[in-house]
Amino acid sequence: MKERRSPTTSPRKRPASRVFDRHTFRELLDDKGLSILDFSELTGLSYSGLRKIAVGTRQPSPHVYRIIITHLRLGEGSLRVPADPAPPRKDAA
């Protein structure tokens, strides 16, 4: 029998091959003399969301990423770096 999914069930996401470069993001803010709060007020993005992006607990959505690179005057892939490979799986014996 075929499994039925509800319309609200999202498909499994594959791991991202490139992730947001939070270290460069923070360096760029420091170079411009901006705090996360200043950048939040400048862009209209929430402080808490930007803080989570800056510390690495959240990846920006494509829309938020475009706002960030536009305000920092960067190219499209400027703040994307290769994702760390997944740690090797330990097989249960």
Side-chain angles (χ1 to χ4, degrees), residues 10-25:
S10 63
R12 288 186 184 176
K13 291 183 179 181
R14 62 187 164 133
S17 61
R18 296 178 56 82
V19 295
F20 187 76
D21 186 356
R22 64 189 174 97
H23 302 292
T24 302
F25 174 59

Side-chain angles (χ1 to χ4, degrees), residues 8-45:
T8 58
T9 304
S10 63
R12 288 186 184 176
K13 291 183 179 181
R14 62 187 164 133
S17 61
R18 296 178 56 82
V19 295
F20 187 76
D21 186 356
R22 64 189 174 97
H23 302 292
T24 302
F25 174 59
R26 290 193 313 233
E27 288 174 11
L28 289 167
L29 290 181
D30 286 343
D31 291 347
K32 294 183 179 285
L34 294 171
S35 68
I36 295 172
L37 181 60
D38 296 334
F39 194 68
S40 168
E41 292 171 353
L42 177 69
T43 60
L45 299 171

Side-chain angles (χ1 to χ4, degrees), residues 60-75:
S61 69
H63 176 72
V64 169
Y65 179 77
R66 280 191 294 281
I67 291 171
I68 290 170
I69 63 170
T70 299
H71 280 82
L72 293 175
R73 297 187 176 150
L74 301 171

